């Protein structure tokens, strides 16, 4: 469904008001304009209005390393981390759950 002049004006006004538009603002505009969020984002881009794409985390990175989990587990057990050699070969999810169970 094509955008009306009123809807285009609303997008341009939002760009002036907020400076750079993002996904959250696009979602609110979509609800107000009776359009889908994806459609609003596409229209923002076709009008060359400033739009900031949300950054996605790099695949394969962890917030906490396995070594950090092992160190935290050793500390929680009041043990030496070297006594837990080999534990870092477990999955990060398993180490996380073990640490949560200990605490």
């Amino acid at each position: 469904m094509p955008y009306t002049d009123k809807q285009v004006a609303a997008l341009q006004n939002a760009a002036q008001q907020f400076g750079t538009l993002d996904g959250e603002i696009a979602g609110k505009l979509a609800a107000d304009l009776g359009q889908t969020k994806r459609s609003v984002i596409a229209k923002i881009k076709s009008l060359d209005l400033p739009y900031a794409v949300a950054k996605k985390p790099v695949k394969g990175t962890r917030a906490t390393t396995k070594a950090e989990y092992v160190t935290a587990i050793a500390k929680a057990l009041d043990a030496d981390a070297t006594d837990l050699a080999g534990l870092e070969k477990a999955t990060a999810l398993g180490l996380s759950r073990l640490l949560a169970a200990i605490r």
Side-chain angles (χ1 to χ4, degrees), residues 71-100:
T71 302
I73 291 168
K75 184 176 179 181
L77 293 173
D78 196 28
D80 187 10
T82 57
D83 293 337
L84 302 175
L87 193 56
E88 69 276 354
K89 293 180 182 174
T91 64
L93 180 60
L95 292 171
S96 172
R97 288 181 177 163
L98 175 61
L99 181 58

mmCIF file with all atom_site columns, all heavy atoms in Angstrom, residues 71-100:
data_model
loop_
_atom_site.group_PDB
_atom_site.id
_atom_site.type_symbol
_atom_site.label_atom_id
_atom_site.label_alt_id
_atom_site.label_comp_id
_atom_site.label_asym_id
_atom_site.label_entity_id
_atom_site.label_seq_id
_atom_site.pdbx_PDB_ins_code
_atom_site.Cartn_x
_atom_site.Cartn_y
_atom_site.Cartn_z
_atom_site.occupancy
_atom_site.B_iso_or_equiv
_atom_site.pdbx_formal_charge
_atom_site.auth_seq_id
_atom_site.auth_comp_id
_atom_site.auth_asym_id
_atom_site.auth_atom_id
_atom_site.pdbx_PDB_model_num
ATOM 1   N N   . THR A 1 71  ? 37.542 -20.111 36.836 1.00 0.00 ? 71  THR A N   1
ATOM 2   C CA  . THR A 1 71  ? 38.084 -19.307 37.931 1.00 0.00 ? 71  THR A CA  1
ATOM 3   C C   . THR A 1 71  ? 36.996 -18.964 38.945 1.00 0.00 ? 71  THR A C   1
ATOM 4   O O   . THR A 1 71  ? 37.215 -19.052 40.160 1.00 0.00 ? 71  THR A O   1
ATOM 5   C CB  . THR A 1 71  ? 38.721 -18.012 37.378 1.00 0.00 ? 71  THR A CB  1
ATOM 6   O OG1 . THR A 1 71  ? 39.736 -18.371 36.440 1.00 0.00 ? 71  THR A OG1 1
ATOM 7   C CG2 . THR A 1 71  ? 39.318 -17.172 38.474 1.00 0.00 ? 71  THR A CG2 1
ATOM 8   N N   . ALA A 1 72  ? 35.819 -18.603 38.465 1.00 0.00 ? 72  ALA A N   1
ATOM 9   C CA  . ALA A 1 72  ? 34.714 -18.261 39.360 1.00 0.00 ? 72  ALA A CA  1
ATOM 10  C C   . ALA A 1 72  ? 34.240 -19.492 40.138 1.00 0.00 ? 72  ALA A C   1
ATOM 11  O O   . ALA A 1 72  ? 33.913 -19.400 41.328 1.00 0.00 ? 72  ALA A O   1
ATOM 12  C CB  . ALA A 1 72  ? 33.556 -17.668 38.562 1.00 0.00 ? 72  ALA A CB  1
ATOM 13  N N   . ILE A 1 73  ? 34.216 -20.638 39.490 1.00 0.00 ? 73  ILE A N   1
ATOM 14  C CA  . ILE A 1 73  ? 33.819 -21.878 40.168 1.00 0.00 ? 73  ILE A CA  1
ATOM 15  C C   . ILE A 1 73  ? 34.832 -22.223 41.248 1.00 0.00 ? 73  ILE A C   1
ATOM 16  O O   . ILE A 1 73  ? 34.463 -22.582 42.378 1.00 0.00 ? 73  ILE A O   1
ATOM 17  C CB  . ILE A 1 73  ? 33.662 -23.033 39.148 1.00 0.00 ? 73  ILE A CB  1
ATOM 18  C CG1 . ILE A 1 73  ? 32.439 -22.776 38.256 1.00 0.00 ? 73  ILE A CG1 1
ATOM 19  C CG2 . ILE A 1 73  ? 33.552 -24.384 39.846 1.00 0.00 ? 73  ILE A CG2 1
ATOM 20  C CD1 . ILE A 1 73  ? 32.351 -23.678 37.033 1.00 0.00 ? 73  ILE A CD1 1
ATOM 21  N N   . ALA A 1 74  ? 36.112 -22.107 40.910 1.00 0.00 ? 74  ALA A N   1
ATOM 22  C CA  . ALA A 1 74  ? 37.164 -22.387 41.896 1.00 0.00 ? 74  ALA A CA  1
ATOM 23  C C   . ALA A 1 74  ? 37.041 -21.455 43.095 1.00 0.00 ? 74  ALA A C   1
ATOM 24  O O   . ALA A 1 74  ? 37.165 -21.882 44.245 1.00 0.00 ? 74  ALA A O   1
ATOM 25  C CB  . ALA A 1 74  ? 38.537 -22.247 41.249 1.00 0.00 ? 74  ALA A CB  1
ATOM 26  N N   . LYS A 1 75  ? 36.783 -20.210 42.841 1.00 0.00 ? 75  LYS A N   1
ATOM 27  C CA  . LYS A 1 75  ? 36.635 -19.239 43.926 1.00 0.00 ? 75  LYS A CA  1
ATOM 28  C C   . LYS A 1 75  ? 35.421 -19.575 44.789 1.00 0.00 ? 75  LYS A C   1
ATOM 29  O O   . LYS A 1 75  ? 35.485 -19.508 46.019 1.00 0.00 ? 75  LYS A O   1
ATOM 30  C CB  . LYS A 1 75  ? 36.503 -17.829 43.347 1.00 0.00 ? 75  LYS A CB  1
ATOM 31  C CG  . LYS A 1 75  ? 36.445 -16.738 44.387 1.00 0.00 ? 75  LYS A CG  1
ATOM 32  C CD  . LYS A 1 75  ? 36.403 -15.362 43.745 1.00 0.00 ? 75  LYS A CD  1
ATOM 33  C CE  . LYS A 1 75  ? 36.313 -14.290 44.816 1.00 0.00 ? 75  LYS A CE  1
ATOM 34  N NZ  . LYS A 1 75  ? 36.235 -12.948 44.226 1.00 0.00 ? 75  LYS A NZ  1
ATOM 35  N N   . ALA A 1 76  ? 34.309 -19.948 44.147 1.00 0.00 ? 76  ALA A N   1
ATOM 36  C CA  . ALA A 1 76  ? 33.091 -20.291 44.886 1.00 0.00 ? 76  ALA A CA  1
ATOM 37  C C   . ALA A 1 76  ? 33.281 -21.537 45.743 1.00 0.00 ? 76  ALA A C   1
ATOM 38  O O   . ALA A 1 76  ? 32.678 -21.666 46.804 1.00 0.00 ? 76  ALA A O   1
ATOM 39  C CB  . ALA A 1 76  ? 31.927 -20.496 43.912 1.00 0.00 ? 76  ALA A CB  1
ATOM 40  N N   . LEU A 1 77  ? 34.130 -22.449 45.282 1.00 0.00 ? 77  LEU A N   1
ATOM 41  C CA  . LEU A 1 77  ? 34.396 -23.683 46.025 1.00 0.00 ? 77  LEU A CA  1
ATOM 42  C C   . LEU A 1 77  ? 35.586 -23.535 46.965 1.00 0.00 ? 77  LEU A C   1
ATOM 43  O O   . LEU A 1 77  ? 35.952 -24.493 47.657 1.00 0.00 ? 77  LEU A O   1
ATOM 44  C CB  . LEU A 1 77  ? 34.664 -24.833 45.056 1.00 0.00 ? 77  LEU A CB  1
ATOM 45  C CG  . LEU A 1 77  ? 33.476 -25.276 44.196 1.00 0.00 ? 77  LEU A CG  1
ATOM 46  C CD1 . LEU A 1 77  ? 33.939 -26.303 43.169 1.00 0.00 ? 77  LEU A CD1 1
ATOM 47  C CD2 . LEU A 1 77  ? 32.370 -25.836 45.063 1.00 0.00 ? 77  LEU A CD2 1
ATOM 48  N N   . ASP A 1 78  ? 36.206 -22.355 46.957 1.00 0.00 ? 78  ASP A N   1
ATOM 49  C CA  . ASP A 1 78  ? 37.411 -22.093 47.754 1.00 0.00 ? 78  ASP A CA  1
ATOM 50  C C   . ASP A 1 78  ? 38.487 -23.131 47.421 1.00 0.00 ? 78  ASP A C   1
ATOM 51  O O   . ASP A 1 78  ? 39.094 -23.740 48.300 1.00 0.00 ? 78  ASP A O   1
ATOM 52  C CB  . ASP A 1 78  ? 37.089 -22.088 49.255 1.00 0.00 ? 78  ASP A CB  1
ATOM 53  C CG  . ASP A 1 78  ? 38.204 -21.449 50.070 1.00 0.00 ? 78  ASP A CG  1
ATOM 54  O OD1 . ASP A 1 78  ? 38.908 -20.581 49.528 1.00 0.00 ? 78  ASP A OD1 1
ATOM 55  O OD2 . ASP A 1 78  ? 38.379 -21.850 51.243 1.00 0.00 ? 78  ASP A OD2 1
ATOM 56  N N   . ALA A 1 79  ? 38.680 -23.320 46.103 1.00 0.00 ? 79  ALA A N   1
ATOM 57  C CA  . ALA A 1 79  ? 39.663 -24.285 45.607 1.00 0.00 ? 79  ALA A CA  1
ATOM 58  C C   . ALA A 1 79  ? 40.630 -23.583 44.675 1.00 0.00 ? 79  ALA A C   1
ATOM 59  O O   . ALA A 1 79  ? 40.387 -22.450 44.237 1.00 0.00 ? 79  ALA A O   1
ATOM 60  C CB  . ALA A 1 79  ? 38.952 -25.415 44.858 1.00 0.00 ? 79  ALA A CB  1
ATOM 61  N N   . ASP A 1 80  ? 41.718 -24.242 44.375 1.00 0.00 ? 80  ASP A N   1
ATOM 62  C CA  . ASP A 1 80  ? 42.694 -23.716 43.436 1.00 0.00 ? 80  ASP A CA  1
ATOM 63  C C   . ASP A 1 80  ? 42.227 -24.066 42.019 1.00 0.00 ? 80  ASP A C   1
ATOM 64  O O   . ASP A 1 80  ? 41.808 -25.199 41.755 1.00 0.00 ? 80  ASP A O   1
ATOM 65  C CB  . ASP A 1 80  ? 44.067 -24.334 43.715 1.00 0.00 ? 80  ASP A CB  1
ATOM 66  C CG  . ASP A 1 80  ? 45.171 -23.712 42.890 1.00 0.00 ? 80  ASP A CG  1
ATOM 67  O OD1 . ASP A 1 80  ? 44.922 -22.668 42.242 1.00 0.00 ? 80  ASP A OD1 1
ATOM 68  O OD2 . ASP A 1 80  ? 46.283 -24.262 42.904 1.00 0.00 ? 80  ASP A OD2 1
ATOM 69  N N   . ALA A 1 81  ? 42.285 -23.090 41.122 1.00 0.00 ? 81  ALA A N   1
ATOM 70  C CA  . ALA A 1 81  ? 41.819 -23.310 39.754 1.00 0.00 ? 81  ALA A CA  1
ATOM 71  C C   . ALA A 1 81  ? 42.612 -24.416 39.059 1.00 0.00 ? 81  ALA A C   1
ATOM 72  O O   . ALA A 1 81  ? 42.083 -25.122 38.202 1.00 0.00 ? 81  ALA A O   1
ATOM 73  C CB  . ALA A 1 81  ? 41.903 -22.014 38.958 1.00 0.00 ? 81  ALA A CB  1
ATOM 74  N N   . THR A 1 82  ? 43.869 -24.613 39.440 1.00 0.00 ? 82  THR A N   1
ATOM 75  C CA  . THR A 1 82  ? 44.670 -25.666 38.812 1.00 0.00 ? 82  THR A CA  1
ATOM 76  C C   . THR A 1 82  ? 44.165 -27.052 39.219 1.00 0.00 ? 82  THR A C   1
ATOM 77  O O   . THR A 1 82  ? 44.392 -28.025 38.506 1.00 0.00 ? 82  THR A O   1
ATOM 78  C CB  . THR A 1 82  ? 46.156 -25.525 39.183 1.00 0.00 ? 82  THR A CB  1
ATOM 79  O OG1 . THR A 1 82  ? 46.304 -25.547 40.605 1.00 0.00 ? 82  THR A OG1 1
ATOM 80  C CG2 . THR A 1 82  ? 46.727 -24.228 38.621 1.00 0.00 ? 82  THR A CG2 1
ATOM 81  N N   . ASP A 1 83  ? 43.487 -27.134 40.372 1.00 0.00 ? 83  ASP A N   1
ATOM 82  C CA  . ASP A 1 83  ? 42.909 -28.406 40.794 1.00 0.00 ? 83  ASP A CA  1
ATOM 83  C C   . ASP A 1 83  ? 41.719 -28.800 39.920 1.00 0.00 ? 83  ASP A C   1
ATOM 84  O O   . ASP A 1 83  ? 41.298 -29.962 39.934 1.00 0.00 ? 83  ASP A O   1
ATOM 85  C CB  . ASP A 1 83  ? 42.448 -28.340 42.255 1.00 0.00 ? 83  ASP A CB  1
ATOM 86  C CG  . ASP A 1 83  ? 43.608 -28.199 43.218 1.00 0.00 ? 83  ASP A CG  1
ATOM 87  O OD1 . ASP A 1 83  ? 44.741 -28.577 42.844 1.00 0.00 ? 83  ASP A OD1 1
ATOM 88  O OD2 . ASP A 1 83  ? 43.380 -27.714 44.346 1.00 0.00 ? 83  ASP A OD2 1
ATOM 89  N N   . LEU A 1 84  ? 41.198 -27.828 39.187 1.00 0.00 ? 84  LEU A N   1
ATOM 90  C CA  . LEU A 1 84  ? 40.034 -28.087 38.329 1.00 0.00 ? 84  LEU A CA  1
ATOM 91  C C   . LEU A 1 84  ? 40.436 -28.193 36.861 1.00 0.00 ? 84  LEU A C   1
ATOM 92  O O   . LEU A 1 84  ? 39.640 -27.920 35.964 1.00 0.00 ? 84  LEU A O   1
ATOM 93  C CB  . LEU A 1 84  ? 39.001 -26.961 38.514 1.00 0.00 ? 84  LEU A CB  1
ATOM 94  C CG  . LEU A 1 84  ? 38.493 -26.753 39.946 1.00 0.00 ? 84  LEU A CG  1
ATOM 95  C CD1 . LEU A 1 84  ? 37.573 -25.548 40.009 1.00 0.00 ? 84  LEU A CD1 1
ATOM 96  C CD2 . LEU A 1 84  ? 37.797 -27.991 40.469 1.00 0.00 ? 84  LEU A CD2 1
ATOM 97  N N   . ALA A 1 85  ? 41.663 -28.596 36.627 1.00 0.00 ? 85  ALA A N   1
ATOM 98  C CA  . ALA A 1 85  ? 42.174 -28.722 35.263 1.00 0.00 ? 85  ALA A CA  1
ATOM 99  C C   . ALA A 1 85  ? 41.272 -29.638 34.446 1.00 0.00 ? 85  ALA A C   1
ATOM 100 O O   . ALA A 1 85  ? 40.820 -30.681 34.921 1.00 0.00 ? 85  ALA A O   1
ATOM 101 C CB  . ALA A 1 85  ? 43.596 -29.264 35.287 1.00 0.00 ? 85  ALA A CB  1
ATOM 102 N N   . GLY A 1 86  ? 40.998 -29.230 33.244 1.00 0.00 ? 86  GLY A N   1
ATOM 103 C CA  . GLY A 1 86  ? 40.140 -30.016 32.357 1.00 0.00 ? 86  GLY A CA  1
ATOM 104 C C   . GLY A 1 86  ? 38.704 -29.540 32.365 1.00 0.00 ? 86  GLY A C   1
ATOM 105 O O   . GLY A 1 86  ? 37.941 -29.839 31.452 1.00 0.00 ? 86  GLY A O   1
ATOM 106 N N   . LEU A 1 87  ? 38.325 -28.800 33.375 1.00 0.00 ? 87  LEU A N   1
ATOM 107 C CA  . LEU A 1 87  ? 36.951 -28.325 33.471 1.00 0.00 ? 87  LEU A CA  1
ATOM 108 C C   . LEU A 1 87  ? 36.624 -27.340 32.341 1.00 0.00 ? 87  LEU A C   1
ATOM 109 O O   . LEU A 1 87  ? 35.483 -27.277 31.887 1.00 0.00 ? 87  LEU A O   1
ATOM 110 C CB  . LEU A 1 87  ? 36.718 -27.664 34.835 1.00 0.00 ? 87  LEU A CB  1
ATOM 111 C CG  . LEU A 1 87  ? 35.280 -27.380 35.250 1.00 0.00 ? 87  LEU A CG  1
ATOM 112 C CD1 . LEU A 1 87  ? 34.443 -28.649 35.222 1.00 0.00 ? 87  LEU A CD1 1
ATOM 113 C CD2 . LEU A 1 87  ? 35.243 -26.765 36.631 1.00 0.00 ? 87  LEU A CD2 1
ATOM 114 N N   . GLU A 1 88  ? 37.635 -26.632 31.858 1.00 0.00 ? 88  GLU A N   1
ATOM 115 C CA  . GLU A 1 88  ? 37.405 -25.660 30.789 1.00 0.00 ? 88  GLU A CA  1
ATOM 116 C C   . GLU A 1 88  ? 37.014 -26.320 29.476 1.00 0.00 ? 88  GLU A C   1
ATOM 117 O O   . GLU A 1 88  ? 36.582 -25.656 28.542 1.00 0.00 ? 88  GLU A O   1
ATOM 118 C CB  . GLU A 1 88  ? 38.628 -24.751 30.584 1.00 0.00 ? 88  GLU A CB  1
ATOM 119 C CG  . GLU A 1 88  ? 39.835 -25.442 30.004 1.00 0.00 ? 88  GLU A CG  1
ATOM 120 C CD  . GLU A 1 88  ? 40.695 -26.161 31.050 1.00 0.00 ? 88  GLU A CD  1
ATOM 121 O OE1 . GLU A 1 88  ? 40.426 -26.038 32.251 1.00 0.00 ? 88  GLU A OE1 1
ATOM 122 O OE2 . GLU A 1 88  ? 41.618 -26.866 30.639 1.00 0.00 ? 88  GLU A OE2 1
ATOM 123 N N   . LYS A 1 89  ? 37.117 -27.651 29.399 1.00 0.00 ? 89  LYS A N   1
ATOM 124 C CA  . LYS A 1 89  ? 36.713 -28.362 28.187 1.00 0.00 ? 89  LYS A CA  1
ATOM 125 C C   . LYS A 1 89  ? 35.206 -28.601 28.143 1.00 0.00 ? 89  LYS A C   1
ATOM 126 O O   . LYS A 1 89  ? 34.670 -29.013 27.117 1.00 0.00 ? 89  LYS A O   1
ATOM 127 C CB  . LYS A 1 89  ? 37.468 -29.687 28.076 1.00 0.00 ? 89  LYS A CB  1
ATOM 128 C CG  . LYS A 1 89  ? 38.953 -29.477 27.853 1.00 0.00 ? 89  LYS A CG  1
ATOM 129 C CD  . LYS A 1 89  ? 39.702 -30.769 27.751 1.00 0.00 ? 89  LYS A CD  1
ATOM 130 C CE  . LYS A 1 89  ? 41.197 -30.484 27.583 1.00 0.00 ? 89  LYS A CE  1
ATOM 131 N NZ  . LYS A 1 89  ? 41.993 -31.685 27.625 1.00 0.00 ? 89  LYS A NZ  1
ATOM 132 N N   . ALA A 1 90  ? 34.532 -28.326 29.240 1.00 0.00 ? 90  ALA A N   1
ATOM 133 C CA  . ALA A 1 90  ? 33.077 -28.445 29.269 1.00 0.00 ? 90  ALA A CA  1
ATOM 134 C C   . ALA A 1 90  ? 32.469 -27.305 28.452 1.00 0.00 ? 90  ALA A C   1
ATOM 135 O O   . ALA A 1 90  ? 33.154 -26.334 28.115 1.00 0.00 ? 90  ALA A O   1
ATOM 136 C CB  . ALA A 1 90  ? 32.581 -28.378 30.712 1.00 0.00 ? 90  ALA A CB  1
ATOM 137 N N   . THR A 1 91  ? 31.198 -27.394 28.143 1.00 0.00 ? 91  THR A N   1
ATOM 138 C CA  . THR A 1 91  ? 30.545 -26.317 27.394 1.00 0.00 ? 91  THR A CA  1
ATOM 139 C C   . THR A 1 91  ? 30.376 -25.104 28.292 1.00 0.00 ? 91  THR A C   1
ATOM 140 O O   . THR A 1 91  ? 30.295 -25.220 29.520 1.00 0.00 ? 91  THR A O   1
ATOM 141 C CB  . THR A 1 91  ? 29.154 -26.747 26.885 1.00 0.00 ? 91  THR A CB  1
ATOM 142 O OG1 . THR A 1 91  ? 28.310 -26.998 28.003 1.00 0.00 ? 91  THR A OG1 1
ATOM 143 C CG2 . THR A 1 91  ? 29.248 -27.978 25.993 1.00 0.00 ? 91  THR A CG2 1
ATOM 144 N N   . ALA A 1 92  ? 30.316 -23.933 27.668 1.00 0.00 ? 92  ALA A N   1
ATOM 145 C CA  . ALA A 1 92  ? 30.125 -22.696 28.425 1.00 0.00 ? 92  ALA A CA  1
ATOM 146 C C   . ALA A 1 92  ? 28.787 -22.722 29.157 1.00 0.00 ? 92  ALA A C   1
ATOM 147 O O   . ALA A 1 92  ? 28.686 -22.271 30.298 1.00 0.00 ? 92  ALA A O   1
ATOM 148 C CB  . ALA A 1 92  ? 30.210 -21.489 27.500 1.00 0.00 ? 92  ALA A CB  1
ATOM 149 N N   . LEU A 1 93  ? 27.777 -23.278 28.519 1.00 0.00 ? 93  LEU A N   1
ATOM 150 C CA  . LEU A 1 93  ? 26.462 -23.378 29.151 1.00 0.00 ? 93  LEU A CA  1
ATOM 151 C C   . LEU A 1 93  ? 26.528 -24.272 30.388 1.00 0.00 ? 93  LEU A C   1
ATOM 152 O O   . LEU A 1 93  ? 25.979 -23.942 31.445 1.00 0.00 ? 93  LEU A O   1
ATOM 153 C CB  . LEU A 1 93  ? 25.429 -23.924 28.161 1.00 0.00 ? 93  LEU A CB  1
ATOM 154 C CG  . LEU A 1 93  ? 24.012 -24.086 28.685 1.00 0.00 ? 93  LEU A CG  1
ATOM 155 C CD1 . LEU A 1 93  ? 23.450 -22.750 29.144 1.00 0.00 ? 93  LEU A CD1 1
ATOM 156 C CD2 . LEU A 1 93  ? 23.127 -24.689 27.616 1.00 0.00 ? 93  LEU A CD2 1
ATOM 157 N N   . GLY A 1 94  ? 27.230 -25.395 30.276 1.00 0.00 ? 94  GLY A N   1
ATOM 158 C CA  . GLY A 1 94  ? 27.383 -26.296 31.414 1.00 0.00 ? 94  GLY A CA  1
ATOM 159 C C   . GLY A 1 94  ? 28.127 -25.639 32.564 1.00 0.00 ? 94  GLY A C   1
ATOM 160 O O   . GLY A 1 94  ? 27.751 -25.780 33.732 1.00 0.00 ? 94  GLY A O   1
ATOM 161 N N   . LEU A 1 95  ? 29.188 -24.907 32.234 1.00 0.00 ? 95  LEU A N   1
ATOM 162 C CA  . LEU A 1 95  ? 29.953 -24.211 33.275 1.00 0.00 ? 95  LEU A CA  1
ATOM 163 C C   . LEU A 1 95  ? 29.108 -23.126 33.943 1.00 0.00 ? 95  LEU A C   1
ATOM 164 O O   . LEU A 1 95  ? 29.155 -22.955 35.162 1.00 0.00 ? 95  LEU A O   1
ATOM 165 C CB  . LEU A 1 95  ? 31.229 -23.602 32.676 1.00 0.00 ? 95  LEU A CB  1
ATOM 166 C CG  . LEU A 1 95  ? 32.277 -24.605 32.203 1.00 0.00 ? 95  LEU A CG  1
ATOM 167 C CD1 . LEU A 1 95  ? 33.384 -23.883 31.448 1.00 0.00 ? 95  LEU A CD1 1
ATOM 168 C CD2 . LEU A 1 95  ? 32.840 -25.380 33.370 1.00 0.00 ? 95  LEU A CD2 1
ATOM 169 N N   . SER A 1 96  ? 28.338 -22.431 33.142 1.00 0.00 ? 96  SER A N   1
ATOM 170 C CA  . SER A 1 96  ? 27.463 -21.388 33.672 1.00 0.00 ? 96  SER A CA  1
ATOM 171 C C   . SER A 1 96  ? 26.438 -21.972 34.639 1.00 0.00 ? 96  SER A C   1
ATOM 172 O O   . SER A 1 96  ? 26.189 -21.435 35.720 1.00 0.00 ? 96  SER A O   1
ATOM 173 C CB  . SER A 1 96  ? 26.753 -20.680 32.525 1.00 0.00 ? 96  SER A CB  1
ATOM 174 O OG  . SER A 1 96  ? 25.778 -19.796 33.002 1.00 0.00 ? 96  SER A OG  1
ATOM 175 N N   . ARG A 1 97  ? 25.852 -23.089 34.246 1.00 0.00 ? 97  ARG A N   1
ATOM 176 C CA  . ARG A 1 97  ? 24.850 -23.735 35.114 1.00 0.00 ? 97  ARG A CA  1
ATOM 177 C C   . ARG A 1 97  ? 25.480 -24.302 36.382 1.00 0.00 ? 97  ARG A C   1
ATOM 178 O O   . ARG A 1 97  ? 24.889 -24.249 37.457 1.00 0.00 ? 97  ARG A O   1
ATOM 179 C CB  . ARG A 1 97  ? 24.129 -24.834 34.337 1.00 0.00 ? 97  ARG A CB  1
ATOM 180 C CG  . ARG A 1 97  ? 23.190 -24.258 33.295 1.00 0.00 ? 97  ARG A CG  1
ATOM 181 C CD  . ARG A 1 97  ? 22.448 -25.318 32.541 1.00 0.00 ? 97  ARG A CD  1
ATOM 182 N NE  . ARG A 1 97  ? 21.513 -24.722 31.612 1.00 0.00 ? 97  ARG A NE  1
ATOM 183 C CZ  . ARG A 1 97  ? 20.959 -25.351 30.617 1.00 0.00 ? 97  ARG A CZ  1
ATOM 184 N NH1 . ARG A 1 97  ? 21.214 -26.637 30.410 1.00 0.00 ? 97  ARG A NH1 1
ATOM 185 N NH2 . ARG A 1 97  ? 20.122 -24.735 29.795 1.00 0.00 ? 97  ARG A NH2 1
ATOM 186 N N   . LEU A 1 98  ? 26.698 -24.849 36.261 1.00 0.00 ? 98  LEU A N   1
ATOM 187 C CA  . LEU A 1 98  ? 27.411 -25.352 37.443 1.00 0.00 ? 98  LEU A CA  1
ATOM 188 C C   . LEU A 1 98  ? 27.688 -24.222 38.416 1.00 0.00 ? 98  LEU A C   1
ATOM 189 O O   . LEU A 1 98  ? 27.448 -24.341 39.618 1.00 0.00 ? 98  LEU A O   1
ATOM 190 C CB  . LEU A 1 98  ? 28.719 -26.026 37.024 1.00 0.00 ? 98  LEU A CB  1
ATOM 191 C CG  . LEU A 1 98  ? 29.630 -26.506 38.156 1.00 0.00 ? 98  LEU A CG  1
ATOM 192 C CD1 . LEU A 1 98  ? 28.916 -27.545 39.021 1.00 0.00 ? 98  LEU A CD1 1
ATOM 193 C CD2 . LEU A 1 98  ? 30.925 -27.074 37.594 1.00 0.00 ? 98  LEU A CD2 1
ATOM 194 N N   . LEU A 1 99  ? 28.146 -23.097 37.895 1.00 0.00 ? 99  LEU A N   1
ATOM 195 C CA  . LEU A 1 99  ? 28.427 -21.946 38.748 1.00 0.00 ? 99  LEU A CA  1
ATOM 196 C C   . LEU A 1 99  ? 27.156 -21.444 39.423 1.00 0.00 ? 99  LEU A C   1
ATOM 197 O O   . LEU A 1 99  ? 27.162 -21.148 40.624 1.00 0.00 ? 99  LEU A O   1
ATOM 198 C CB  . LEU A 1 99  ? 29.056 -20.824 37.911 1.00 0.00 ? 99  LEU A CB  1
ATOM 199 C CG  . LEU A 1 99  ? 29.430 -19.545 38.668 1.00 0.00 ? 99  LEU A CG  1
ATOM 200 C CD1 . LEU A 1 99  ? 30.416 -19.847 39.797 1.00 0.00 ? 99  LEU A CD1 1
ATOM 201 C CD2 . LEU A 1 99  ? 30.002 -18.504 37.722 1.00 0.00 ? 99  LEU A CD2 1
ATOM 202 N N   . ALA A 1 100 ? 26.060 -21.409 38.693 1.00 0.00 ? 100 ALA A N   1
ATOM 203 C CA  . ALA A 1 100 ? 24.785 -20.974 39.280 1.00 0.00 ? 100 ALA A CA  1
ATOM 204 C C   . ALA A 1 100 ? 24.325 -21.938 40.364 1.00 0.00 ? 100 ALA A C   1
ATOM 205 O O   . ALA A 1 100 ? 23.793 -21.514 41.404 1.00 0.00 ? 100 ALA A O   1
ATOM 206 C CB  . ALA A 1 100 ? 23.727 -20.858 38.181 1.00 0.00 ? 100 ALA A CB  1
#
